[in-house]
């Protein structure tokens, strides 16, 4: 209790993406040193320290224990990953960064599909994921307990998509968050876990069904109640009949303190009644209390489960919140998937049965669902679109109909009256064809390399001018093309080009977008200006500097280029250790007599910190170090700027007026994300 009353230390997660080492170096050598001798009320302030176990690392505020589940997934760049209950997205960001462990590869073979049941929280998830600017992330909106099985093309044949890694961070009572969430103290009751237990099993069951054999699923909660933790894992292991194994994950995070999972626990009702065994529960309680909430009674079966391999992280272990984690490895298809022979397409006698038959034909080597005669009452049933799993087995929580809305709104799809098959209808994702007339001017202007993946470029409109162009990885393109009617996609892809109004006069109707610069740069062979650290400072602290303000080398390069969109590239000098030791690519615009970095404000400040420019201001708006203040002009203050800046301003206004495409994509219009005349 004393530990729960202590102030919980704040933790930050440095996203290991592009510039992680440089960010960490800046924090240690500048900001941390500034506070190491600081005293408040006579007490010396301790400088921030790394956590004892090996964490990965732009910067996010994140609960320390919340960082653990993605690390235990042991992700590699080729893995197909499902995050079942993803919002608000801090763990999703970790998954994406691990996928991009090799930053020299713009399109990893793997991808992350991040799902959440709440439509509004999906857009929060989009906002989080968008900061990482990855072409390998897709945000979808489904009930995790009945998330649809997806198809994709494999060697010319349509197959079912099974995931190599699944993060199953389920909704829970949250008693482990008491140190930061005061509401839990007031609202927590013993009945919370009883109400959530069935939902948690349904989500976990749906997860292992979609996990590939040999794959790894991490089940986690921010609760310490065994009914939400070990009881769920025990139910999964028992029903898997050996198909699942609880892995020993302790070697994966050396230095992490925790206590092993427990093998014995009791259950208490809201009224304070205790039960240690299902046989003692009166019949009147069977609707609230289920047999899966108790530990297995067979000692041998319990020992074989190895529940002690679960991890219980208590607040005093690392001065964190409370957390539960279990790592499951799939050794074989689930028994309810392999028990019955597959139905073949030729067995179907009516058109109305064609869709389910196709679903069954493309499942795991055995059938995906048991026969309709009800003989499956002894096993969980996979939820397939258009079908409701069998009910009546007290050992398996009932799976609701796909259109049912949960009373507590914890996990359930949007109301049926607002749905079109699987949710609100979003703007379409339209892939461009290889001979699309958009490509030749872009190809010539930026001299794109022959291996540029044109087929991965998409837009969000069927008709009219294409205003924004996005890119996804090859595998996500595969998923989108084969499942457009099966899933509700909220957002995918990274923006790489934006249309300029009358931009053809500069040679190309599309300018580069900063969000996708690191995705595009490996393919761009023209319109590149190499710059030094001092050039970076000039470009990011002055709104529209004259070309002559650049260093001689960059100035000479700029004079050789015509007007239009450019890449401003900083490459590290190993001899100058005070300068950033990582490459930096900025979108820019080469004007008639001036040059401009077209970078959103938050990234502008990020890069300035990297090159040693202080960006905090006092109340008078002056820089702390006395140097020139960053100019942040509004459109009304931007008089006298060059023709290209006016052009970009016009584009920003037009985007806001026609913002349905951007808004449907979960992002802000172009004009509202950048400094200067386009803001």
């Amino acid at each position: 209790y004393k530990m729960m009353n202590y102030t919980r230390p704040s933790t930050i997660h440095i996203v290991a993406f592009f510039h992680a080492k440089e960010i960490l170096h800046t924090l240690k050598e500048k900001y941390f040193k500034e506070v190491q001798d600081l005293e408040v009320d006579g007490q010396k302030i301790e400088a921030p320290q790394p956590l004892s176990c090996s964490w990965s690392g732009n910067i996010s505020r994140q609960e320390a224990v919340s960082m653990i589940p993605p690390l235990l997934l042991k992700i590699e760049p080729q893995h197909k990953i499902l995050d079942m209950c993803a919002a608000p997205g801090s763990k999703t960001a970790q998954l994406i960064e691990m996928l991009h462990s090799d930053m020299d590869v713009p399109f990893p073979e793997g991808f992350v599909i991040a799902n959440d049941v709440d439509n509004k929280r999906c857009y929060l998830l989009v906002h989080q994921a968008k900061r990482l600017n990855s072409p390998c992330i897709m945000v979808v909106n489904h009930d995790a307990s009945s998330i649809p099985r997806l198809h994709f093309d494999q060697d010319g044949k349509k197959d079912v998509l099974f995931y190599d890694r699944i993060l199953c961070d389920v909704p829970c009572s949250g008693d482990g968050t008491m140190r930061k969430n005061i509401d839990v103290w007031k609202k927590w009751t013993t009945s919370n876990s009883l109400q959530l237990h069935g939902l948690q099993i349904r989500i976990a069951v749906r997860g292992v069904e979609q996990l590939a054999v040999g794959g790894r699923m991490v089940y986690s909660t921010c609760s310490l109640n065994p009914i939400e933790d070990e009881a769920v894992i025990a139910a999964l292991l028992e029903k898997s009949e050996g198909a699942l194994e609880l892995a020993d994950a302790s070697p994966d995070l050396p230095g992490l303190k925790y206590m092993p999972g427990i093998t014995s626990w009791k259950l208490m009702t809201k009224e304070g009644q205790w039960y240690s065994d299902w046989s003692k529960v009166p019949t009147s309680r069977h609707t609230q209390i289920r047999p899966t909430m108790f530990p297995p009674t067979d000692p041998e079966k319990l020992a074989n489960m190895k529940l002690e391999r679960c991890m219980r992280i208590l607040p005093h272990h690392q001065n964190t919140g409370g957390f539960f984690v279990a790592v499951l490895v799939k050794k074989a298809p689930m028994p309810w998937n392999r028990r019955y022979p597959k139905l073949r397409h030729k067995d179907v006698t009516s058109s109305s049965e064609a869709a389910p038959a196709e679903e069954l034909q493309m499942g795991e080597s055995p059938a995906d669902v048991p026969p309709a005669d009800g003989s499956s009452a002894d096993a969980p049933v996979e939820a397939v679109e258009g079908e409701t799993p069998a009910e009546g087995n007290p050992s398996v929580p009932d799976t609701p109909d796909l259109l049912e809305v949960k009373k507590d709104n914890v996990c359930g799809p949007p109301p049926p009256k607002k749905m079109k098959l699987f949710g609100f209808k979003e703007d379409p994702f339209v892939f461009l064809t290889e001979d699309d007339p958009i490509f030749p001017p872009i190809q010539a202007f930026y001299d794109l390399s022959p291996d540029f993946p044109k087929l991965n470029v998409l837009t969000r409109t069927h008709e009219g001018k294409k205003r924004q162009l996005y890119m996804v990885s090859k595998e996500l393109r595969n998923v989108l093309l084969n499942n457009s009617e099966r899933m509700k996609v909220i957002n995918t892809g990274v923006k790489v080009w934006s249309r300029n109004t009358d931009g053809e006069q500069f040679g190309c109707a599309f300018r580069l977008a900063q969000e996708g610069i690191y995705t595009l740069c490996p393919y761009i062979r023209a319109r590149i200006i190499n710059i030094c650290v001092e050039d970076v400072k000039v470009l990011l602290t002055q709104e529209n500097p004259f070309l002559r303000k650049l260093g001689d080398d960059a100035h000479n390069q700029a004079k050789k280029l015509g007007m239009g969109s450019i890449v401003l590239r900083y490459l590290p000098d190993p001899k100058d250790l005070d300068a950033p030791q990582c490459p930096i690519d900025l979108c820019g615009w080469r004007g008639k007599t001036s040059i401009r970095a077209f970078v959103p404000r938050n990234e502008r400040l990020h890069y300035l910190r990297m090159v040693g420019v202080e960006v905090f201001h006092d109340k008078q708006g002056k820089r702390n170090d006395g140097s020139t203040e960053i100019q942040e002009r509004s459109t009304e203050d931007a008089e006298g700027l060059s023709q290209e800046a006016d052009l970009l301003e016009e584009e920003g206004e037009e985007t806001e007026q026609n913002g349905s495409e951007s808004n449907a994509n979960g992002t802000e219009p172009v004009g509202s994300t950048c400094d200067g005349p386009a803001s």
Side-chain angles (χ1 to χ4, degrees):
Y1 176 78
K2 289 176 65 177
M3 190 67 193
M4 300 294 267
N5 265 338
Y6 287 156
T7 302
R8 181 181 56 89
S10 297
T11 54
I12 59 173
H13 170 214
I14 302 174
V15 179
F17 212 64
F18 298 118
H19 310 126
K21 291 182 180 179
E22 199 62 39
I23 295 171
L24 188 58
H25 175 78
T26 302
L27 285 172
K28 287 181 175 179
E29 299 303 316
K30 181 174 176 59
Y31 298 106
F32 290 177
K33 284 185 176 181
E34 291 178 358
V35 300
Q36 65 183 9
D37 297 323
L38 184 66
E39 290 189 8
V40 177
D41 296 332
Q43 184 176 359
K44 188 174 181 179
I45 300 299
E46 183 181 356
Q49 300 293 325
L51 293 166
S52 58
C53 47
S54 304
W55 307 109
S56 56
N58 279 333
I59 301 176
S60 296
R61 176 80 174 269
Q62 186 177 357
E63 168 69 67
V65 287
S66 175
M67 303 178 195
I68 294 174
L71 299 176
L72 294 178
L73 281 171
K74 301 173 72 170
I75 288 170
E76 298 175 9
Q78 74 276 11
H79 284 157
K80 300 173 180 64
I81 307 163
L82 173 64
D83 190 350
M84 299 189 75
C85 307
S90 56
K91 296 183 186 70
T92 309
Q94 284 181 266
L95 301 177
I96 298 170
E97 72 181 69
M98 294 175 195
L99 204 62
H100 288 271
S101 57
D102 186 351
M103 294 311 304
D104 294 328
V105 180
F107 292 102
E109 291 182 28
F111 56 78
V112 176
I113 294 181
N115 174 72
D116 201 84
V117 67
D118 189 288
N119 187 266
K120 292 181 180 178
R121 283 166 61 89
C122 280
Y123 289 96
L124 178 61
L125 182 58
V126 169
H127 175 74
Q128 280 278 62
K130 185 177 179 290
R131 296 188 303 162
L132 281 78
N133 298 326
S134 170
C136 304
I137 171 70
M138 178 188 294
V139 176
V140 298
N141 179 204
H142 290 280
D143 179 346
S145 65
S146 56
I147 190 168
R149 186 180 291 282
L150 303 183
H151 299 160
F152 77 129
D153 286 332
Q154 181 82 12
D155 300 326
K157 298 179 180 179
K158 185 169 285 191
D159 205 346
V160 167
L161 172 61
F162 290 98
Y163 301 94
D164 303 295
R165 298 290 186 267
I166 294 179
L167 177 57
C168 187
D169 186 51
V170 297
C172 66
S173 61
D175 55 64
T177 68
M178 283 183 172
R179 296 183 70 188
K180 69 173 182 178
N181 189 353
I182 303 300
D183 283 345
V184 174
W185 291 84
K186 298 180 291 184
K187 297 179 180 179
W188 185 90
T189 70
T190 55
S191 62
N192 292 350
S193 298
L194 304 182
Q195 295 168 358
L196 288 166
H197 174 82
L199 171 64
Q200 291 161 342
I201 290 187
R202 289 196 298 271
I203 294 175
V205 165
R206 192 57 177 161
V208 295
E209 285 174 345
Q210 302 215 24
L211 187 65
V213 173
R216 194 175 178 98
M217 184 176 94
V218 169
Y219 175 91
S220 62
T221 74
C222 50
S223 169
L224 297 173
N225 193 320
I227 296 173
E228 303 179 59
D229 299 338
E230 285 90 350
V232 175
I233 297 301
L236 271 179
L237 292 172
E238 183 170 2
K239 289 301 174 184
S240 75
E241 299 178 6
L244 295 176
E245 179 181 272
L246 195 53
D248 180 7
S250 56
D252 299 328
L253 286 178
L256 177 68
K257 298 176 184 178
Y258 66 94
M259 68 172 286
I262 60 178
T263 57
S264 176
W265 61 87
K266 295 188 293 184
L267 181 152
M268 188 174 76
T269 66
K270 188 176 182 179
E271 295 77 21
Q273 296 170 299
W274 286 94
Y275 297 102
S276 58
D277 189 88
W278 166 252
S279 62
K280 306 289 179 57
V281 179
T283 306
S284 60
R285 291 282 188 178
H286 283 188
T287 55
Q288 295 90 30
I289 301 175
R290 310 304 297 270
T292 52
M293 296 177 181
F294 296 92
T297 55
D298 185 338
E300 183 179 355
K301 181 182 293 185
L302 183 61
N304 290 336
M305 287 182 177
K306 297 182 173 65
L307 291 180
E308 65 276 4
R309 291 182 174 179
C310 299
M311 293 180 169
R312 291 182 148 264
I313 301 160
L314 305 184
H316 66 277
H317 286 149
Q318 276 99 191
N319 197 11
T320 63
F323 214 71
F324 174 87
V325 188
V327 180
L328 294 159
V329 176
K330 189 172 182 178
K331 298 293 186 180
M334 303 311 292
W336 55 91
N337 292 134
R338 66 170 180 258
R339 185 168 294 149
Y340 306 100
K342 274 200 299 186
L343 295 180
R344 295 295 177 181
H345 206 62
K346 62 183 180 182
D347 298 328
V348 179
T349 57
S350 67
S351 58
S352 63
E353 296 174 336
E358 183 182 6
E359 175 78 26
L360 294 172
Q361 187 179 10
M362 295 180 294
E364 293 174 321
S365 52
D368 281 330
V369 293
D373 60 8
S375 59
S376 63
D378 62 336
V381 180
E382 177 189 5
V384 179
E385 289 112 330
E387 296 183 354
T388 302
E391 302 177 355
N393 178 15
S395 65
V396 182
D398 300 329
T399 302
D401 185 83
L402 296 183
L403 299 183
E404 179 185 344
V405 181
K406 308 294 185 302
K407 294 180 180 179
D408 56 5
N409 291 323
V410 173
C411 193
K417 65 179 181 180
K418 294 184 179 180
M419 295 181 66
K420 292 185 179 179
L421 186 60
F422 285 108
F424 302 100
K425 195 69 175 177
E426 293 286 326
D427 284 353
F429 293 85
V430 184
F431 284 94
L432 275 59
T433 59
E434 195 160 1
D435 58 352
D436 194 294
I438 278 182
F439 279 128
I442 295 177
Q443 182 95 37
F445 191 72
Y446 298 102
D447 189 19
L448 299 179
S449 58
D451 60 338
F452 175 72
K454 295 179 181 179
L455 295 179
N456 293 17
V457 180
L458 61 88
T459 186
R460 297 299 303 270
T461 178
H462 278 297
E463 301 175 355
K465 284 189 175 181
K466 301 173 179 66
R467 300 191 175 278
Q468 318 286 350
L469 299 181
Y470 306 87
M471 289 194 75
V472 296
S473 64
K474 177 184 176 182
E475 293 303 321
L476 269 190
R477 178 182 185 273
N478 190 341
V479 173
L480 270 172
L481 289 177
N482 286 285
N483 300 279
S484 60
E485 297 302 322
R486 303 174 65 82
M487 60 180 180
K488 180 192 168 188
V489 180
I490 300 296
N491 178 270
T492 192
V494 58
K495 183 167 67 176
V496 289
W497 280 294
S498 292
R499 179 180 288 275
N500 286 338
T501 304
D502 299 327
E504 288 86 350
Q505 62 181 299
F506 303 120
C508 181
F510 288 88
R511 64 168 177 82
L512 297 166
Q514 182 67 30
E515 297 97 307
I517 192 68
Y518 290 100
T519 299
L520 276 184
C521 268
Y523 305 103
I524 295 177
R525 301 184 296 184
R527 310 291 300 173
I528 300 173
I529 298 177
N530 292 305
I531 57 177
C532 64
V533 170
E534 293 306 313
D535 295 330
V536 174
K537 295 178 181 178
V538 168
L539 289 163
L540 296 181
T541 57
Q542 299 182 31
E543 184 60 48
N544 216 47
F546 289 112
L547 293 175
R548 63 175 181 269
K549 289 195 175 184
L550 297 177
D552 291 343
D553 187 27
H555 187 192
N556 290 332
Q557 295 175 63
K559 288 192 296 185
K560 296 176 183 178
L561 294 178
M563 295 172 63
S565 187
I566 55 173
V567 177
L568 299 159
R569 174 168 295 166
Y570 163 81
L571 296 175
D573 181 359
K575 298 178 181 178
D576 185 4
L577 297 180
D578 292 331
Q581 294 300 300
C582 62
I584 298 175
D585 288 327
L586 307 175
C587 284
W589 189 271
R590 199 300 199 186
K592 188 177 296 184
T593 59
S594 62
I595 197 164
R596 180 175 187 254
F598 203 65
V599 180
R601 182 178 183 276
N602 61 327
E603 290 191 50
R604 196 177 279 240
L605 302 181
H606 161 67
Y607 290 123
L608 283 172
R609 290 188 180 101
M610 287 178 60
V611 297
V613 176
E614 185 54 77
V615 293
F616 295 112
H617 300 76
D618 59 23
K619 292 182 180 179
Q620 285 74 38
K622 296 180 180 179
R623 297 291 303 283
N624 292 343
D625 57 5
S627 60
T628 306
E629 182 181 353
I630 300 174
Q631 300 178 34
E632 298 177 7
R633 301 174 181 171
S634 66
T635 305
E636 293 76 24
D637 298 329
E639 295 180 6
L641 297 181
S642 60
Q643 176 186 6
E644 68 276 12
D646 292 334
L647 184 67
L648 293 172
E649 176 189 357
E650 180 182 345
E651 177 197 350
E653 292 174 349
E654 185 171 1
T655 306
E656 289 189 10
Q657 294 168 3
N658 301 279
S660 59
E661 176 183 323
S662 294
N663 292 336
N665 195 37
T667 61
E668 296 177 354
V670 173
S672 64
T673 59
C674 298
D675 289 339
S679 63

